[in-house]
Amino acid sequence: MRKDKILLGYEIKTGKEIEIAPSHLIVTGLTQKAGKTTTLESLIKRSGRKAIVFRTKIGEKSFLSGTIIPPYFKDRSDWQFIQGLVEATIKEKLRSFERAKIIQICKRTGGNSLLEFKKKVDERLLEKKINNFEMDILTNIQAYLEIVLPKLQSIKFSNELELVEGLNIIDLERFSRDSEVQSLIIRSVLEEVLYKFKNVIIVLPEAWKFIPQERGDPCKRIVEEFIRQGATNGNYIWIDAQNITAVDKEPLKQVSEWILGYQSEENEVKKTLSQIPLPKNKKPKPEDIMSLGTGIFYLATREKTIKVYVLPFWLDEERGKQVALGKLKVEELDAPETITPFKIAVKRETITEQPTIDFNETTRRFQKELNEMSNDFFNKIGEVQEQINKVYTEIYKLKIEQKP
């Protein structure tokens, strides 16, 4: 493998080694069915670069071998940033005259503080000369900030984004119900890496949430900038998307590597096929997409389209080739459930002449009980977090009331 290439895996049927160049890429496919997370984790490990991933869902088991680093957030209140916040809240794009009202208020704050912006909004809503339209939009902004600001104040952020070698994990599980807060943190990290770092990979999870098609989000503008400018300094964004339909197409236009996995819904299958740059009579058929196995993807680039078995980071190259050649089934591999949904060790026949202990069954039973305990724990944590958020909300209101 050349130094400027990353091993992806092996071509189905031929076993030929497939490499990709470091670049912006997207991995698609149904969660826990296609093998997206294992694909991304494997590519990161083989790239040898620093990488940042975000844990955004409760009980997420992916990316367990990295280093957890504190979240980084940079406060700001310029109009583009506020526009993203509002659009994320009301789930629709702002019209030009609505944007103008936001710009007017932002000019009064200096663009460096959400708290100061909130104060200006409060003051404007108390004025007598305000029409119904402006009142509606400012009330939306006010309501959003009353939710977000107390939660941001409850987090101990790092003043600097400090990365270690290998995989850096920013844990946002406690805000799994607050995508607005997650968006603000992810946005700050993207911006910091784009302008101050080199040779860093950022994995953007749940693309439908952070770069949605039908509405704004604080992440959208910086993702577009990152994709347009990041490669200059060797910075790349790797997008994790369960589907393509719900993701904004503007940033995707600049993505050169598409790793397309299993889909079951008809429209998603059509979108997947539309991304494969082959003549219609040479494209895979819908049933080919709907029957892809775990870890098997179509690599689609400008130069080529290849059906490939992505080599998991826990599997040796020889057995990876055997899978691609059809001589070894994925189902015959056995990997630790706490690391990846794949399986790693080849199953062996049971020796009936000697008494045996079914360690697999014991492990499965233990894992099931552990998962139940984990789910119960995180549910309780969620309830406690809600109570803490309420306390911070009350403290925040008291602070606002005490200010002259």
Side-chain angles (χ1 to χ4, degrees), residues 230-249:
T232 303
N233 288 324
N235 294 322
Y236 299 108
I237 190 164
W238 290 359
I239 300 171
D240 177 343
Q242 178 163 319
N243 56 55
I244 304 171
T245 305
V247 180
D248 187 31
K249 304 306 179 293

Side-chain angles (χ1 to χ4, degrees), residues 107-318:
K107 285 182 176 179
R108 304 176 197 167
T109 67
N112 297 316
S113 171
L114 278 176
L115 187 61
E116 186 64 24
F117 179 82
K118 167 67 165 55
K119 184 179 178 182
K120 296 297 182 183
V121 170
D122 293 342
E123 291 173 355
R124 178 61 179 148
L125 284 171
L126 291 175
E127 294 178 11
K128 294 180 180 180
K129 293 182 179 181
I130 181 171
N131 59 45
N132 290 335
F133 158 72
E134 186 177 355
M135 180 176 291
D136 287 344
I137 190 170
L138 293 183
T139 300
N140 275 325
I141 297 174
Q142 184 186 58
Y144 175 87
L145 293 175
E146 285 176 349
I147 294 171
V148 170
L149 281 174
K151 293 173 182 176
L152 290 175
Q153 291 182 333
S154 72
I155 306 171
K156 186 176 182 181
F157 289 110
S158 173
N159 294 327
E160 295 183 9
L161 181 63
E162 298 180 356
L163 303 182
V164 300
E165 294 297 325
L167 193 59
N168 295 262
I169 301 169
I170 297 180
D171 192 346
L172 303 178
E173 284 187 40
R174 58 177 161 162
F175 298 113
S176 59
R177 299 178 184 177
D178 303 304
S179 60
E180 296 90 351
V181 176
Q182 292 181 340
S183 290
L184 292 175
I185 296 170
I186 292 174
R187 190 199 188 290
S188 289
V189 173
L190 283 164
E191 186 176 45
E192 190 73 1
V193 170
L194 176 60
Y195 294 113
K196 295 186 179 180
F197 286 79
K198 292 184 178 180
N199 301 315
V200 176
I201 294 166
I202 295 184
V203 176
L204 182 68
E206 301 187 279
W208 63 269
K209 183 191 295 185
F210 301 112
I211 46 173
Q213 173 66 35
E214 298 296 335
R215 58 180 173 83
D217 187 274
C219 288
K220 287 182 77 168
R221 184 167 171 267
I222 191 62
V223 167
E224 291 179 17
E225 288 183 19
F226 200 104
I227 290 177
R228 290 193 181 102
Q229 303 176 36
T232 303
N233 288 324
N235 294 322
Y236 299 108
I237 190 164
W238 290 359
I239 300 171
D240 177 343
Q242 178 163 319
N243 56 55
I244 304 171
T245 305
V247 180
D248 187 31
K249 304 306 179 293
E250 192 59 36
L252 298 187
K253 292 176 183 178
Q254 306 296 322
V255 174
S256 57
E257 309 273 352
W258 289 68
I259 303 174
L260 306 165
Y262 166 74
Q263 297 287 356
S264 61
E265 197 273 326
E266 183 179 357
N267 290 324
E268 287 304 326
V269 172
K270 290 180 180 178
K271 283 287 185 182
T272 298
L273 290 172
S274 71
Q275 293 303 137
I276 295 177
L278 290 175
K280 190 173 182 180
N281 63 343
K282 293 185 178 181
K283 283 180 182 281
K285 302 201 174 349
E287 53 267 31
D288 294 329
I289 303 298
M290 299 174 78
S291 61
L292 287 174
T294 302
I296 299 176
F297 295 81
Y298 282 97
L299 169 65
T301 72
R302 183 173 59 182
E303 298 84 13
K304 60 192 175 185
T305 297
I306 301 172
K307 190 176 182 180
V308 58
Y309 173 66
V310 175
L311 181 68
F313 64 88
W314 42 262
L315 189 64
D316 60 89
E317 294 186 11
E318 182 56 37

